[in-house]
Amino acid sequence: MRLGRVALLVLIPFATPASADPPLSALTLVGPPTEIFKAGRDACDGADVPDAPARAFRDAAGAVALYGMHYRNRALRGPDLGQLKLDCTVVLDSGEKSDPAAYDDRSWITATWTEDGARVAALLHHEYQANEHPGRCPAATYMACWYNTITAATSTDGGRSFKRQSPPVVVAGAPFRQEIDQGRHRGFFNPSNIVADGRWRYFLASTTGWTLPGSDQESGICLFRSDDPADPTRWRAWTGTGFTAAFPDPYRAARPNTATCRPVGPFPGPVGAVVRHRGSGAWIAVFMAKAAEGYPQSGFYWTTSRDLITWDSPRLLLAGATLYDDPCAATAPLIAYPSLLDPDARGRNFDDVGDRALLTYARLRTEGCTITSDRDLLRRPVAIHVWP
């Protein structure tokens, strides 16, 4: 089975980090990595590789379900974060359908939210890979034909199975169909986990941007808000003055307005995860970056915010070549898909952390210039300090 290339391989145009300023927080690795999952040992079939940041929640019985695998979606389950094992039941499969309006080509569960542990809302990173469907894209190459949308699915059995509505609900899509502007990657992709702040729920997602008369969208990271994740039509993006930008299905609905999102943060690519520090209320985001201006080394970085909009200068947490680096030059396995999970999180959805957490990420081995399916899911303890 050929592995699909999740859109975390895609960099958005470079975002310059904020100017040097006093840090709001300090994150320090305080222990070695340990394995959660090893493909060669624990996989059910060739589709079982870590291919997205880890997302977890506690179900109604208090057990943990963790997602972050491939587009044949399965969950790791156990009584807690320290005792997880892959469940071979497919909770959401990908139809690899050629009709782009079906939004059922390849989908990854990339965010979950539940209030009661039984009914679970999911955000899906959906890739329409037009190069795989004859006649859908003249370029016939992955990136030139790549059309990405954030869609929704729901579980009513504690995350043991997910279903899409018919027709599927588009949470965030480009305001044009897949055949438009081919030759580059297009759309919204890689939502972060969902976090709570009072009555509101938030997530961060990447967009490649577009140019349309009266409605130009800048590339970058958009902040979305909703008062009810169970209703995926209620998500709206930050415009700079309010949460009013909607990006519905271009195959079924006229766009209600021309508002666009105003990108937030210093992020050079998708946000791996965002969590709230319990002691201070500060938000901490982790992401990966390659060595470039503002980023002296490739690896995982973190940044901190008081409001999810303004973020401080990123700091290096773990150095190493990432998916953004050239695999041909790799002298060690690549690292990717960082997330922060606190085993003692107060929230059912692991969206809060204390002064300790687990940096959870994937290690990907290469052969020549190929990123292989020989991948491990790892965790490392992290100490967290936030200044008042």
Side-chain angles (χ1 to χ4, degrees), residues 189-269:
F189 54 102
N190 289 110
S192 73
N193 57 310
I194 299 170
V195 297
D197 184 19
R199 64 184 285 252
W200 299 108
R201 307 292 179 258
Y202 297 87
F203 73 86
L204 295 155
S206 299
T207 180
T208 57
W210 56 79
T211 300
L212 291 174
S215 181
D216 290 349
Q217 173 63 61
E218 184 181 352
S219 62
I221 302 297
C222 294
L223 177 63
F224 286 80
R225 186 181 79 174
S226 172
D227 60 356
D228 185 11
D231 180 354
T233 67
R234 298 180 68 85
W235 290 105
R236 296 292 184 273
W238 172 250
T239 64
T241 57
F243 288 89
T244 57
F247 303 96
D249 183 355
Y251 286 89
R252 293 179 178 85
R255 194 170 174 199
N257 58 53
T258 57
T260 55
C261 100
R262 177 175 292 179
V264 303
F267 307 107

Side-chain angles (χ1 to χ4, degrees), residues 83-157:
Q83 303 178 72
L84 294 172
K85 182 179 179 180
L86 186 67
D87 181 346
C88 288
T89 302
V90 175
V91 301
L92 180 75
D93 212 342
S94 294
E96 301 185 77
K97 294 178 179 177
S98 63
D99 179 7
Y103 296 98
D104 189 14
D105 191 355
R106 295 179 178 180
S107 295
W108 288 252
I109 295 174
T110 41
T112 56
W113 185 265
T114 179
E115 298 289 344
D116 59 9
R119 184 175 177 84
V120 186
L123 299 176
L124 310 179
H125 164 102
H126 176 261
E127 291 189 17
Y128 183 71
Q129 298 181 5
N131 58 297
E132 298 289 342
H133 304 293
R136 294 290 186 174
C137 182
T141 59
Y142 173 71
M143 289 305 300
C145 302
W146 182 88
Y147 181 78
N148 214 122
T149 310
I150 298 172
T151 60
T154 302
S155 172
T156 58
D157 57 7

Side-chain angles (χ1 to χ4, degrees), residues 11-368:
L11 281 161
I12 58 177
F14 184 76
T16 302
S19 59
D21 51 15
L24 296 177
S25 68
L27 272 63
T28 308
L29 295 169
V30 292
T34 58
E35 292 178 352
I36 302 171
F37 170 90
K38 187 175 183 63
R41 180 190 65 205
D42 303 325
C44 302
D45 61 31
D48 295 322
V49 295
D51 206 36
R55 310 291 186 228
F57 65 85
R58 296 187 186 96
D59 68 19
V64 172
L66 184 146
Y67 305 85
M69 303 299 282
H70 210 241
Y71 58 75
R72 174 167 288 173
N73 293 267
R74 294 183 167 104
L76 286 83
R77 303 186 190 277
D80 53 50
L81 285 176
Q83 303 178 72
L84 294 172
K85 182 179 179 180
L86 186 67
D87 181 346
C88 288
T89 302
V90 175
V91 301
L92 180 75
D93 212 342
S94 294
E96 301 185 77
K97 294 178 179 177
S98 63
D99 179 7
Y103 296 98
D104 189 14
D105 191 355
R106 295 179 178 180
S107 295
W108 288 252
I109 295 174
T110 41
T112 56
W113 185 265
T114 179
E115 298 289 344
D116 59 9
R119 184 175 177 84
V120 186
L123 299 176
L124 310 179
H125 164 102
H126 176 261
E127 291 189 17
Y128 183 71
Q129 298 181 5
N131 58 297
E132 298 289 342
H133 304 293
R136 294 290 186 174
C137 182
T141 59
Y142 173 71
M143 289 305 300
C145 302
W146 182 88
Y147 181 78
N148 214 122
T149 310
I150 298 172
T151 60
T154 302
S155 172
T156 58
D157 57 7
R160 294 190 175 276
S161 64
F162 286 85
K163 294 182 179 179
R164 306 172 185 86
Q165 293 184 28
S166 183
V169 175
V170 169
V171 173
F176 48 82
R177 300 182 178 192
Q178 79 84 21
E179 66 271 15
I180 304 301
D181 203 18
Q182 289 182 347
R184 69 182 188 98
H185 54 287
R186 296 144 294 143
F188 286 91
F189 54 102
N190 289 110
S192 73
N193 57 310
I194 299 170
V195 297
D197 184 19
R199 64 184 285 252
W200 299 108
R201 307 292 179 258
Y202 297 87
F203 73 86
L204 295 155
S206 299
T207 180
T208 57
W210 56 79
T211 300
L212 291 174
S215 181
D216 290 349
Q217 173 63 61
E218 184 181 352
S219 62
I221 302 297
C222 294
L223 177 63
F224 286 80
R225 186 181 79 174
S226 172
D227 60 356
D228 185 11
D231 180 354
T233 67
R234 298 180 68 85
W235 290 105
R236 296 292 184 273
W238 172 250
T239 64
T241 57
F243 288 89
T244 57
F247 303 96
D249 183 355
Y251 286 89
R252 293 179 178 85
R255 194 170 174 199
N257 58 53
T258 57
T260 55
C261 100
R262 177 175 292 179
V264 303
F267 307 107
V271 174
V274 58
V275 290
R276 193 166 205 176
H277 182 249
R278 292 193 294 271
S280 65
W283 301 98
I284 301 169
V286 290
F287 60 95
M288 62 182 177
K290 66 181 295 185
E293 181 184 354
Y295 296 96
Q297 295 176 264
S298 294
F300 298 153
Y301 285 75
W302 87 90
T303 177
T304 312
S305 174
R306 302 292 187 190
D307 60 5
L308 290 171
I309 295 172
T310 302
W311 298 80
D312 69 357
S313 296
R315 267 99 181 162
L316 180 67
L317 177 58
L318 176 63
T322 76
L323 280 179
Y324 297 152
D325 291 279
D326 181 2
C328 302
T331 57
L334 305 180
I335 57 174
Y337 314 125
S339 184
L340 285 175
L341 297 168
D342 180 356
D344 298 319
R346 306 266 176 88
R348 185 183 290 277
N349 297 281
F350 291 93
D351 60 328
D352 63 281
V353 295
D355 294 334
R356 289 289 182 110
L358 298 172
L359 173 67
T360 306
Y361 63 99
R363 179 172 61 195
L364 302 80
R365 293 173 182 83
T366 60
E367 292 181 359

